[in-house]
Amino acid sequence: GQQLNQSPQSMFIQEGEDVSMNCTSSSIFNTWLWYKQDPGEGPVLLIALYKAGELTSNGRLTAQFGITRKDSFLNISASIPSDVGIYFCGSYGKLTFGQGTILTVHP
Amino acid sequence: DAGITQSPRHKVTETGTPVTLRCHQTENHRYMYWYRQDPGHGLRLIHYSYGVKDTDKGEVSDGYSVSRSKTEDFLLTLESATSSQTSVYFCAITTGTTGELFFGEGSRLTVL
């Protein structure tokens, strides 16, 4: 089946630093979705990408749909403590998700 | 808010007992999904439904069954719970053709 490899698995950063994480696939995807999960809650959609090469921003978050259609990137600028959580990449079709990136932000 | 309610939110049970988790939605969405979340594995699809009495298996369906007799309810059943089914279970729906999933708050199941 489809596999999504997300990296890094975890990140420990200082408040104010920028964050970058990525997701790669063994298959071509038509949609890339990025979710954030706060502790004890369900994942919430952050950004959705629908076209190869698309670059989309949502506040301090920026995500890109790779031109090969096999990867996507999520960047968070000027991190703050409330950015803590697990970030998942995912795609439509078989609704596959990556393993998640656990982000810890030290004040 | 996609109007998704999961119940129970927490459950502790013993190996070999049956367990049913309920997902209820209030907005008449056609597509519903059950995922489990485990450390190191992310979210894995168990079963999904395209409508009433229309269900299919996901990536990790062994040991699970589902039923959807009404649009608003999608039930996940563990016929005989095992310790490997200790997990957090999430229900999700999609609102249209874009594939954007909206998740419930999760049900934490512990099988002793």
Side-chain angles (χ1 to χ4, degrees):
Chain A
Q2 297 171 335
Q3 290 191 346
L4 289 179
N5 293 310
Q6 193 171 344
S7 64
Q9 291 188 13
S10 61
M11 302 182 73
F12 298 85
I13 63 170
Q14 291 292 131
E15 183 176 0
E17 290 183 4
D18 296 341
V19 172
S20 183
M21 60 190 78
N22 70 81
C23 204
T24 60
S25 168
S26 56
S27 305
I28 290 175
F29 284 161
N30 294 319
T31 306
W32 281 98
L33 308 171
W34 284 95
Y35 288 81
K36 182 195 176 195
Q37 183 179 28
D38 291 326
E41 299 183 11
V44 174
L45 182 67
L46 295 174
I47 292 179
L49 303 161
Y50 302 106
K51 288 175 56 177
E54 179 181 356
L55 185 71
T56 298
S57 293
N58 179 6
R60 294 178 294 106
L61 278 61
T62 302
Q64 184 162 23
F65 192 144
I67 57 173
T68 66
R69 296 167 63 192
K70 291 185 175 183
D71 57 7
S72 180
F73 302 86
L74 177 69
N75 296 314
I76 305 173
S77 62
S79 60
I80 58 178
S82 63
D83 289 333
V84 164
I86 306 175
Y87 291 80
F88 290 101
C89 61
S91 184
Y92 195 39
K94 284 298 186 182
L95 298 161
T96 305
F97 287 89
Q99 307 96 317
T101 295
I102 301 172
L103 178 63
T104 303
V105 180
H106 295 289
Chain B
D1 182 5
I4 303 171
T5 304
Q6 290 185 231
S7 59
R9 294 291 312 280
H10 301 272
K11 185 172 181 64
V12 180
T13 191
E14 293 186 349
T15 296
T17 60
V19 176
T20 295
L21 305 179
R22 179 184 184 230
C23 179
H24 179 77
Q25 55 130 335
T26 59
E27 299 184 6
N28 211 35
H29 297 299
R30 181 178 172 189
Y31 300 94
M32 300 183 75
Y33 310 85
W34 275 107
Y35 285 86
R36 62 177 289 174
Q37 183 178 23
D38 305 287
H41 292 281
L43 293 157
R44 292 181 292 174
L45 183 64
I46 306 171
H47 282 281
Y48 56 101
S49 171
Y50 291 124
V52 173
K53 297 184 180 179
D54 189 359
T55 65
D56 205 349
K57 295 179 180 180
E59 177 187 359
V60 290
S61 60
D62 288 348
Y64 302 95
S65 62
V66 289
S67 66
R68 191 157 178 211
S69 58
K70 299 183 292 184
T71 298
E72 57 265 35
D73 288 325
F74 191 31
L75 304 180
L76 177 70
T77 297
L78 291 65
E79 299 291 347
S80 178
T82 67
S83 58
S84 65
Q85 293 176 311
T86 292
S87 186
V88 181
Y89 291 85
F90 287 98
C91 175
I93 58 97
T94 53
T95 58
T97 58
T98 58
E100 299 170 18
L101 282 169
F102 294 86
F103 288 87
E105 295 182 321
S107 296
R108 182 175 294 276
L109 175 67
T110 301
V111 184
L112 302 175

